Amino acid sequence: MTSERIRTTPTPGRPALSETRRAATRREVAMVAAHLFAENGYTATTVDDIAAAAGMGLRTFYRYFPGKEDVVAPLLSIGARAWADELAACPPELPLREAIGRSYRTATAAALAEEGIAETLLRPLLHAATELPALRATWLRVQQDCEIQLIPIIAARTGRSPDDLDVAIVAAMANTAVRLAIERWAAGDLPGSAADAVDACLTHLAGQNLL
């Protein structure tokens, strides 16, 4: 009885195996949907199309996602989580502006490579996510979650409390600069890669002594 309990109890701090599998399935379906959106457009792609391409039934699809507008959330969240993790791992002596820019570039490259997402797919996906009303709500929710993740990391790097107003403002400014850079890059308004666009916006912010 005791040994069985030990084998089935998850390790503290780690997600249960079922949660890991669920997250992996959500990412796989999100990738399928992203390709369909890029090929056929968001409006023309139905939930039936996504479910069929992912090899699952409609009832199974809705166990993973409330609706079509939520299906890209796992992909949008990958970069945010990777950025926060990379920023937390940056050397503490690195200036905050440099740490934010470097961590974003490193995290984005690693996340895209790991998930097999080409930038040719990333741009139309982000453009749809930031322009279509149904997807923009998901995009902004992911951005809000990202900002919340940044607060304790910035607090630790600056030696302040996570409740400090200055910490919250810096997190909001950094996240907003990144969001605007990505949105303008996705729309074709900024040259280079998404990371180049982010660097340009962060440099502008620092030049105004705001970061």
Side-chain angles (χ1 to χ4, degrees), residues 96-121:
L96 183 59
R97 153 67 186 93
E98 188 176 346
I100 289 173
R102 181 189 297 185
S103 60
Y104 183 85
R105 183 177 291 276
T106 302
T108 300
L112 293 179
E114 183 176 348
E115 297 298 324
I117 303 174
E119 199 155 270
T120 51
L121 173 63

PDB file of all heavy atoms in Angstrom, residues 96-121:
ATOM      1  N   LEU A  96      19.468  45.822 -16.890  1.00  0.00           N
ATOM      2  CA  LEU A  96      18.124  45.314 -17.158  1.00  0.00           C
ATOM      3  C   LEU A  96      17.751  45.437 -18.625  1.00  0.00           C
ATOM      4  O   LEU A  96      17.199  44.502 -19.211  1.00  0.00           O
ATOM      5  CB  LEU A  96      17.105  46.055 -16.282  1.00  0.00           C
ATOM      6  CG  LEU A  96      15.655  45.569 -16.397  1.00  0.00           C
ATOM      7  CD1 LEU A  96      15.547  44.102 -16.022  1.00  0.00           C
ATOM      8  CD2 LEU A  96      14.750  46.419 -15.504  1.00  0.00           C
ATOM      9  N   ARG A  97      18.038  46.577 -19.250  1.00  0.00           N
ATOM     10  CA  ARG A  97      17.702  46.764 -20.662  1.00  0.00           C
ATOM     11  C   ARG A  97      18.359  45.688 -21.513  1.00  0.00           C
ATOM     12  O   ARG A  97      17.723  45.080 -22.386  1.00  0.00           O
ATOM     13  CB  ARG A  97      18.132  48.168 -21.109  1.00  0.00           C
ATOM     14  CG  ARG A  97      18.466  48.339 -22.594  1.00  0.00           C
ATOM     15  CD  ARG A  97      17.248  48.170 -23.502  1.00  0.00           C
ATOM     16  NE  ARG A  97      17.617  48.194 -24.899  1.00  0.00           N
ATOM     17  CZ  ARG A  97      17.896  47.117 -25.621  1.00  0.00           C
ATOM     18  NH1 ARG A  97      17.851  45.913 -25.083  1.00  0.00           N
ATOM     19  NH2 ARG A  97      18.205  47.215 -26.896  1.00  0.00           N
ATOM     20  N   GLU A  98      19.633  45.454 -21.279  1.00  0.00           N
ATOM     21  CA  GLU A  98      20.352  44.450 -22.063  1.00  0.00           C
ATOM     22  C   GLU A  98      19.832  43.052 -21.769  1.00  0.00           C
ATOM     23  O   GLU A  98      19.704  42.216 -22.673  1.00  0.00           O
ATOM     24  CB  GLU A  98      21.852  44.536 -21.769  1.00  0.00           C
ATOM     25  CG  GLU A  98      22.687  43.657 -22.691  1.00  0.00           C
ATOM     26  CD  GLU A  98      24.182  43.825 -22.460  1.00  0.00           C
ATOM     27  OE1 GLU A  98      24.570  44.800 -21.786  1.00  0.00           O
ATOM     28  OE2 GLU A  98      24.945  42.977 -22.949  1.00  0.00           O
ATOM     29  N   ALA A  99      19.526  42.788 -20.510  1.00  0.00           N
ATOM     30  CA  ALA A  99      19.022  41.465 -20.123  1.00  0.00           C
ATOM     31  C   ALA A  99      17.686  41.177 -20.789  1.00  0.00           C
ATOM     32  O   ALA A  99      17.439  40.060 -21.265  1.00  0.00           O
ATOM     33  CB  ALA A  99      18.883  41.379 -18.605  1.00  0.00           C
ATOM     34  N   ILE A 100      16.819  42.182 -20.852  1.00  0.00           N
ATOM     35  CA  ILE A 100      15.505  41.994 -21.464  1.00  0.00           C
ATOM     36  C   ILE A 100      15.643  41.693 -22.955  1.00  0.00           C
ATOM     37  O   ILE A 100      15.035  40.747 -23.475  1.00  0.00           O
ATOM     38  CB  ILE A 100      14.626  43.245 -21.243  1.00  0.00           C
ATOM     39  CG1 ILE A 100      14.214  43.345 -19.765  1.00  0.00           C
ATOM     40  CG2 ILE A 100      13.385  43.198 -22.128  1.00  0.00           C
ATOM     41  CD1 ILE A 100      13.491  44.629 -19.423  1.00  0.00           C
ATOM     42  N   GLY A 101      16.450  42.474 -23.656  1.00  0.00           N
ATOM     43  CA  GLY A 101      16.629  42.261 -25.084  1.00  0.00           C
ATOM     44  C   GLY A 101      17.313  40.942 -25.404  1.00  0.00           C
ATOM     45  O   GLY A 101      16.871  40.204 -26.293  1.00  0.00           O
ATOM     46  N   ARG A 102      18.387  40.641 -24.673  1.00  0.00           N
ATOM     47  CA  ARG A 102      19.122  39.405 -24.934  1.00  0.00           C
ATOM     48  C   ARG A 102      18.265  38.180 -24.628  1.00  0.00           C
ATOM     49  O   ARG A 102      18.244  37.207 -25.394  1.00  0.00           O
ATOM     50  CB  ARG A 102      20.398  39.359 -24.085  1.00  0.00           C
ATOM     51  CG  ARG A 102      21.219  38.099 -24.329  1.00  0.00           C
ATOM     52  CD  ARG A 102      22.363  37.964 -23.343  1.00  0.00           C
ATOM     53  NE  ARG A 102      23.335  39.045 -23.447  1.00  0.00           N
ATOM     54  CZ  ARG A 102      24.467  39.063 -22.749  1.00  0.00           C
ATOM     55  NH1 ARG A 102      24.756  38.078 -21.898  1.00  0.00           N
ATOM     56  NH2 ARG A 102      25.309  40.076 -22.888  1.00  0.00           N
ATOM     57  N   SER A 103      17.548  38.222 -23.515  1.00  0.00           N
ATOM     58  CA  SER A 103      16.736  37.075 -23.125  1.00  0.00           C
ATOM     59  C   SER A 103      15.604  36.839 -24.119  1.00  0.00           C
ATOM     60  O   SER A 103      15.280  35.691 -24.433  1.00  0.00           O
ATOM     61  CB  SER A 103      16.165  37.264 -21.716  1.00  0.00           C
ATOM     62  OG  SER A 103      15.339  38.411 -21.640  1.00  0.00           O
ATOM     63  N   TYR A 104      15.029  37.925 -24.648  1.00  0.00           N
ATOM     64  CA  TYR A 104      13.950  37.749 -25.632  1.00  0.00           C
ATOM     65  C   TYR A 104      14.481  37.090 -26.896  1.00  0.00           C
ATOM     66  O   TYR A 104      13.878  36.154 -27.425  1.00  0.00           O
ATOM     67  CB  TYR A 104      13.288  39.083 -25.970  1.00  0.00           C
ATOM     68  CG  TYR A 104      12.137  38.891 -26.935  1.00  0.00           C
ATOM     69  CD1 TYR A 104      10.871  38.565 -26.473  1.00  0.00           C
ATOM     70  CD2 TYR A 104      12.340  38.967 -28.319  1.00  0.00           C
ATOM     71  CE1 TYR A 104       9.827  38.333 -27.359  1.00  0.00           C
ATOM     72  CE2 TYR A 104      11.307  38.730 -29.204  1.00  0.00           C
ATOM     73  CZ  TYR A 104      10.053  38.419 -28.716  1.00  0.00           C
ATOM     74  OH  TYR A 104       9.033  38.167 -29.601  1.00  0.00           O
ATOM     75  N   ARG A 105      15.615  37.579 -27.402  1.00  0.00           N
ATOM     76  CA  ARG A 105      16.175  37.020 -28.636  1.00  0.00           C
ATOM     77  C   ARG A 105      16.539  35.548 -28.454  1.00  0.00           C
ATOM     78  O   ARG A 105      16.206  34.702 -29.297  1.00  0.00           O
ATOM     79  CB  ARG A 105      17.409  37.822 -29.057  1.00  0.00           C
ATOM     80  CG  ARG A 105      18.029  37.367 -30.370  1.00  0.00           C
ATOM     81  CD  ARG A 105      19.201  38.261 -30.759  1.00  0.00           C
ATOM     82  NE  ARG A 105      18.769  39.591 -31.139  1.00  0.00           N
ATOM     83  CZ  ARG A 105      18.347  39.913 -32.352  1.00  0.00           C
ATOM     84  NH1 ARG A 105      18.310  39.009 -33.317  1.00  0.00           N
ATOM     85  NH2 ARG A 105      17.989  41.154 -32.624  1.00  0.00           N
ATOM     86  N   THR A 106      17.213  35.230 -27.350  1.00  0.00           N
ATOM     87  CA  THR A 106      17.625  33.845 -27.094  1.00  0.00           C
ATOM     88  C   THR A 106      16.423  32.932 -26.921  1.00  0.00           C
ATOM     89  O   THR A 106      16.368  31.835 -27.486  1.00  0.00           O
ATOM     90  CB  THR A 106      18.503  33.779 -25.831  1.00  0.00           C
ATOM     91  OG1 THR A 106      19.641  34.620 -26.008  1.00  0.00           O
ATOM     92  CG2 THR A 106      18.964  32.359 -25.555  1.00  0.00           C
ATOM     93  N   ALA A 107      15.453  33.384 -26.140  1.00  0.00           N
ATOM     94  CA  ALA A 107      14.277  32.570 -25.857  1.00  0.00           C
ATOM     95  C   ALA A 107      13.453  32.320 -27.109  1.00  0.00           C
ATOM     96  O   ALA A 107      12.978  31.202 -27.349  1.00  0.00           O
ATOM     97  CB  ALA A 107      13.421  33.243 -24.794  1.00  0.00           C
ATOM     98  N   THR A 108      13.284  33.352 -27.923  1.00  0.00           N
ATOM     99  CA  THR A 108      12.484  33.212 -29.139  1.00  0.00           C
ATOM    100  C   THR A 108      13.116  32.222 -30.101  1.00  0.00           C
ATOM    101  O   THR A 108      12.435  31.342 -30.649  1.00  0.00           O
ATOM    102  CB  THR A 108      12.319  34.579 -29.831  1.00  0.00           C
ATOM    103  OG1 THR A 108      11.664  35.478 -28.939  1.00  0.00           O
ATOM    104  CG2 THR A 108      11.494  34.445 -31.094  1.00  0.00           C
ATOM    105  N   ALA A 109      14.418  32.355 -30.307  1.00  0.00           N
ATOM    106  CA  ALA A 109      15.113  31.442 -31.222  1.00  0.00           C
ATOM    107  C   ALA A 109      15.008  30.001 -30.741  1.00  0.00           C
ATOM    108  O   ALA A 109      14.739  29.085 -31.534  1.00  0.00           O
ATOM    109  CB  ALA A 109      16.574  31.854 -31.357  1.00  0.00           C
ATOM    110  N   ALA A 110      15.201  29.797 -29.442  1.00  0.00           N
ATOM    111  CA  ALA A 110      15.155  28.442 -28.901  1.00  0.00           C
ATOM    112  C   ALA A 110      13.745  27.859 -28.976  1.00  0.00           C
ATOM    113  O   ALA A 110      13.559  26.687 -29.340  1.00  0.00           O
ATOM    114  CB  ALA A 110      15.629  28.452 -27.440  1.00  0.00           C
ATOM    115  N   ALA A 111      12.742  28.671 -28.650  1.00  0.00           N
ATOM    116  CA  ALA A 111      11.363  28.186 -28.659  1.00  0.00           C
ATOM    117  C   ALA A 111      10.903  27.832 -30.068  1.00  0.00           C
ATOM    118  O   ALA A 111      10.261  26.799 -30.287  1.00  0.00           O
ATOM    119  CB  ALA A 111      10.434  29.231 -28.048  1.00  0.00           C
ATOM    120  N   LEU A 112      11.242  28.691 -31.042  1.00  0.00           N
ATOM    121  CA  LEU A 112      10.846  28.423 -32.420  1.00  0.00           C
ATOM    122  C   LEU A 112      11.529  27.163 -32.953  1.00  0.00           C
ATOM    123  O   LEU A 112      10.902  26.357 -33.654  1.00  0.00           O
ATOM    124  CB  LEU A 112      11.181  29.617 -33.312  1.00  0.00           C
ATOM    125  CG  LEU A 112      10.383  30.901 -33.063  1.00  0.00           C
ATOM    126  CD1 LEU A 112      10.839  32.005 -34.001  1.00  0.00           C
ATOM    127  CD2 LEU A 112       8.884  30.667 -33.215  1.00  0.00           C
ATOM    128  N   ALA A 113      12.804  27.007 -32.611  1.00  0.00           N
ATOM    129  CA  ALA A 113      13.537  25.822 -33.070  1.00  0.00           C
ATOM    130  C   ALA A 113      12.969  24.556 -32.429  1.00  0.00           C
ATOM    131  O   ALA A 113      12.790  23.531 -33.102  1.00  0.00           O
ATOM    132  CB  ALA A 113      15.021  25.972 -32.737  1.00  0.00           C
ATOM    133  N   GLU A 114      12.685  24.637 -31.147  1.00  0.00           N
ATOM    134  CA  GLU A 114      12.179  23.453 -30.433  1.00  0.00           C
ATOM    135  C   GLU A 114      10.811  23.025 -30.958  1.00  0.00           C
ATOM    136  O   GLU A 114      10.523  21.830 -31.078  1.00  0.00           O
ATOM    137  CB  GLU A 114      12.081  23.749 -28.936  1.00  0.00           C
ATOM    138  CG  GLU A 114      11.632  22.546 -28.112  1.00  0.00           C
ATOM    139  CD  GLU A 114      11.627  22.838 -26.621  1.00  0.00           C
ATOM    140  OE1 GLU A 114      12.185  23.873 -26.203  1.00  0.00           O
ATOM    141  OE2 GLU A 114      11.058  22.029 -25.876  1.00  0.00           O
ATOM    142  N   GLU A 115       9.967  23.992 -31.268  1.00  0.00           N
ATOM    143  CA  GLU A 115       8.619  23.672 -31.743  1.00  0.00           C
ATOM    144  C   GLU A 115       8.554  23.505 -33.255  1.00  0.00           C
ATOM    145  O   GLU A 115       7.514  23.139 -33.796  1.00  0.00           O
ATOM    146  CB  GLU A 115       7.648  24.776 -31.316  1.00  0.00           C
ATOM    147  CG  GLU A 115       7.507  24.923 -29.821  1.00  0.00           C
ATOM    148  CD  GLU A 115       6.947  23.672 -29.156  1.00  0.00           C
ATOM    149  OE1 GLU A 115       6.090  23.007 -29.769  1.00  0.00           O
ATOM    150  OE2 GLU A 115       7.360  23.370 -28.016  1.00  0.00           O
ATOM    151  N   GLY A 116       9.671  23.793 -33.951  1.00  0.00           N
ATOM    152  CA  GLY A 116       9.684  23.651 -35.400  1.00  0.00           C
ATOM    153  C   GLY A 116       8.830  24.685 -36.116  1.00  0.00           C
ATOM    154  O   GLY A 116       8.201  24.395 -37.144  1.00  0.00           O
ATOM    155  N   ILE A 117       8.797  25.905 -35.565  1.00  0.00           N
ATOM    156  CA  ILE A 117       7.988  26.975 -36.160  1.00  0.00           C
ATOM    157  C   ILE A 117       8.895  27.872 -37.002  1.00  0.00           C
ATOM    158  O   ILE A 117       9.794  28.525 -36.476  1.00  0.00           O
ATOM    159  CB  ILE A 117       7.299  27.813 -35.075  1.00  0.00           C
ATOM    160  CG1 ILE A 117       6.425  26.913 -34.183  1.00  0.00           C
ATOM    161  CG2 ILE A 117       6.450  28.908 -35.714  1.00  0.00           C
ATOM    162  CD1 ILE A 117       5.829  27.649 -33.006  1.00  0.00           C
ATOM    163  N   ALA A 118       8.668  27.906 -38.296  1.00  0.00           N
ATOM    164  CA  ALA A 118       9.446  28.772 -39.187  1.00  0.00           C
ATOM    165  C   ALA A 118       8.919  30.199 -39.085  1.00  0.00           C
ATOM    166  O   ALA A 118       7.740  30.418 -38.818  1.00  0.00           O
ATOM    167  CB  ALA A 118       9.348  28.279 -40.626  1.00  0.00           C
ATOM    168  N   GLU A 119       9.799  31.175 -39.316  1.00  0.00           N
ATOM    169  CA  GLU A 119       9.366  32.568 -39.242  1.00  0.00           C
ATOM    170  C   GLU A 119       8.351  32.894 -40.334  1.00  0.00           C
ATOM    171  O   GLU A 119       7.529  33.789 -40.175  1.00  0.00           O
ATOM    172  CB  GLU A 119      10.565  33.507 -39.329  1.00  0.00           C
ATOM    173  CG  GLU A 119      10.257  34.904 -38.812  1.00  0.00           C
ATOM    174  CD  GLU A 119      11.494  35.639 -38.321  1.00  0.00           C
ATOM    175  OE1 GLU A 119      11.827  35.517 -37.127  1.00  0.00           O
ATOM    176  OE2 GLU A 119      12.099  36.337 -39.141  1.00  0.00           O
ATOM    177  N   THR A 120       8.361  32.119 -41.419  1.00  0.00           N
ATOM    178  CA  THR A 120       7.374  32.321 -42.478  1.00  0.00           C
ATOM    179  C   THR A 120       5.970  31.971 -41.985  1.00  0.00           C
ATOM    180  O   THR A 120       4.977  32.475 -42.516  1.00  0.00           O
ATOM    181  CB  THR A 120       7.705  31.451 -43.703  1.00  0.00           C
ATOM    182  OG1 THR A 120       7.908  30.089 -43.277  1.00  0.00           O
ATOM    183  CG2 THR A 120       8.965  31.947 -44.388  1.00  0.00           C
ATOM    184  N   LEU A 121       5.883  31.098 -40.984  1.00  0.00           N
ATOM    185  CA  LEU A 121       4.596  30.780 -40.363  1.00  0.00           C
ATOM    186  C   LEU A 121       4.310  31.732 -39.217  1.00  0.00           C
ATOM    187  O   LEU A 121       3.156  32.111 -38.980  1.00  0.00           O
ATOM    188  CB  LEU A 121       4.606  29.332 -39.844  1.00  0.00           C
ATOM    189  CG  LEU A 121       3.378  28.895 -39.025  1.00  0.00           C
ATOM    190  CD1 LEU A 121       2.113  28.939 -39.886  1.00  0.00           C
ATOM    191  CD2 LEU A 121       3.586  27.492 -38.460  1.00  0.00           C
TER     192      LEU A 121
END
